[in-house]
Amino acid sequence: PLCDRTSSPSPVVMEDNVTYSARSAFIDWNEASIKAVIPALIEMIKSESLDEKLKVIAVVGLVNFTRKQWQAKEMVHTVIHEIIIGDALKYVSPFILSKHEDLSRHTCSFLISCCQREPLKQELQKNSNFVKDTLSILTINQYPPYYRSIETLLQATSLISSLAMDTAFRTIISDCLGYEQQLDPSHDEIFEQSVAIRILVDVLKDDKRTFFKHRYRDRFFAQLIGALKNLSLHHNVNRKTIGRLSIPMLLLIIATDEKLKENTDPYNLVEAALRCICVLTFHRQNCQILKKLNIDQIIDK
């Protein structure tokens, strides 16, 4: 009953094909219920013997609590909320690497909600190992299946995109996996690039082979491009690296994705690509790349 009262705003499909549906009713949380319910969910999450299906629903309960309560017009005892939810972060964030797809993706959803609150964002910055974990599930595997489920990838990408809106997290994301040397044939020079950024661009380049026919393709790639855009904001090194790696692919999306030029899709890839390019143009080298690849002709068409 506890998990049922705090069920997710989005359906959760378990391995045995049982779907836990959304509940739209708003729970009137007060200090007493917060002190009773949220710690109980946390204790469930901490239990090593608890079935993963129940852990999923407990995490979903936390997601539902944060979204509904923090969007309410009048928040009761906000400090208490943040202290209790902050305590949950260290227990929930490792679930990103869970092999259970629902547990992994709802963990990402919980962290997305938490990073909207400044005290919790600061707590996340102190324990940022989850950023490495999030990038690891976006990494291409050597053998099939090459990726996790696209639903999990969508939430992981949304988490990176949300974090990248923060100046400190932009640097944390870029630096967390270190840097690698790469030869740039067009300029005949060796440059250093962020491994994290390269992972994100590799997924973008893998578009046709893995994701072309999936129903979440548009939404996923719009989020991915948005993450690259956010990582480029007010960060000249990232802007140069992302421009060098992604501009040809972004122009290809603008030039060839006819279905998405109709402006009826809320996850329009052409619009996402144009927004990203707009940010990338604040670096001179990217402007040279765009000119060389005839962006003016592509836009005219």
Side-chain angles (χ1 to χ4, degrees):
L2 172 62
C3 293
D4 188 55
R5 286 291 306 280
T6 56
S7 58
S8 169
S10 59
V12 184
V13 181
M14 299 303 186
E15 292 172 350
D16 55 4
N17 296 321
V18 176
T19 301
Y20 293 78
S21 301
R23 293 295 181 97
S24 59
F26 177 79
I27 300 172
D28 185 17
W29 294 96
N30 52 39
E31 183 177 343
S33 62
I34 292 168
K35 287 182 175 179
V37 175
I38 304 304
L41 291 175
I42 295 172
E43 286 303 313
M44 291 175 63
I45 289 167
K46 288 165 62 176
S47 173
E48 295 182 1
S49 60
L50 188 69
D51 186 89
E52 279 200 321
K53 294 178 183 179
L54 292 178
K55 285 187 178 181
V56 171
I57 303 176
V59 172
V60 163
L62 293 176
V63 173
N64 200 38
F65 168 77
T66 54
R67 286 182 178 174
K68 285 185 177 179
Q69 189 63 18
W70 290 344
Q71 290 175 4
K73 292 182 180 178
E74 295 182 5
M75 294 181 291
V76 183
H77 300 283
T78 303
V79 174
I80 294 175
H81 296 188
E82 292 175 342
I83 289 174
I84 295 176
I85 294 299
D87 186 47
L89 287 174
K90 59 179 175 287
Y91 300 111
V92 176
S93 56
F95 292 157
I96 285 180
L97 291 177
S98 171
K99 298 299 182 183
H100 195 298
E101 295 290 349
D102 287 321
L103 186 53
S104 179
R105 71 185 177 90
H106 284 298
T107 297
C108 291
S109 296
F110 174 64
L111 294 174
I112 290 170
S113 294
C114 288
C115 73
Q116 309 304 315
R117 306 293 297 181
E118 192 60 37
L120 295 178
K121 189 190 296 181
Q122 293 174 9
E123 192 67 28
L124 287 171
Q125 289 171 359
K126 296 176 188 175
N127 304 280
S128 57
N129 283 338
F130 74 93
V131 177
K132 291 182 182 180
D133 296 341
T134 306
L135 289 165
S136 73
I137 65 176
L138 288 166
T139 304
I140 302 174
N141 297 322
Q142 187 174 359
Y143 303 104
Y146 295 108
Y147 293 105
R148 302 288 294 270
S149 74
I150 195 168
E151 293 85 357
T152 300
L153 296 179
L154 176 58
Q155 289 301 316
T157 307
S158 298
L159 175 56
I160 294 295
S161 183
S162 297
L163 294 172
M165 292 296 293
D166 179 80
T167 303
F169 263 117
R170 251 173 250 138
T171 302
I172 290 172
I173 294 168
S174 305
D175 295 349
C176 69
L177 296 177
Y179 291 78
E180 61 189 7
Q181 290 190 333
Q182 184 71 30
L183 175 64
D184 182 359
S186 61
H187 293 82
D188 195 26
E189 63 177 346
I190 294 176
F191 66 95
E192 279 196 338
Q193 64 184 21
S194 164
V195 174
I197 289 174
R198 192 258 301 158
I199 286 172
L200 295 173
V201 175
D202 281 349
V203 181
L204 184 65
K205 290 179 179 178
D206 197 43
D207 177 9
K208 301 299 185 216
R209 180 164 64 89
T210 306
F211 301 110
F212 185 69
K213 294 182 179 180
H214 200 285
R215 63 193 178 101
Y216 285 144
R217 169 188 177 267
D218 305 350
R219 184 176 181 181
F220 171 61
F221 280 101
Q223 275 290 0
L224 179 60
I225 293 169
L228 293 172
K229 174 184 71 70
N230 292 345
L231 284 167
S232 301
L233 292 169
H234 310 295
H235 198 300
N236 213 37
V237 175
N238 283 358
R239 196 178 290 142
K240 180 179 181 181
T241 302
I242 291 171
R244 190 194 302 260
L245 294 176
S246 70
I247 281 177
M249 189 65 199
L250 294 173
L251 291 180
L252 185 63
I253 288 171
I254 295 171
T256 62
D257 214 333
E258 296 294 335
K259 170 182 173 291
L260 296 170
K261 291 180 182 179
E262 300 171 358
N263 294 323
T264 57
D265 190 339
Y267 304 103
N268 191 305
L269 290 191
V270 173
E271 180 181 346
L274 286 170
R275 287 177 180 273
C276 187
I277 286 175
C278 182
V279 174
L280 295 176
T281 56
F282 284 87
H283 195 287
R284 179 178 294 180
Q285 177 182 281
N286 294 337
C287 292
Q288 294 171 350
I289 295 172
L290 288 165
K291 184 176 181 180
K292 183 177 180 180
L293 295 176
N294 300 316
I295 187 174
D296 51 342
Q297 296 179 22
I298 293 173
I299 298 297
D300 287 342
K301 291 180 181 179

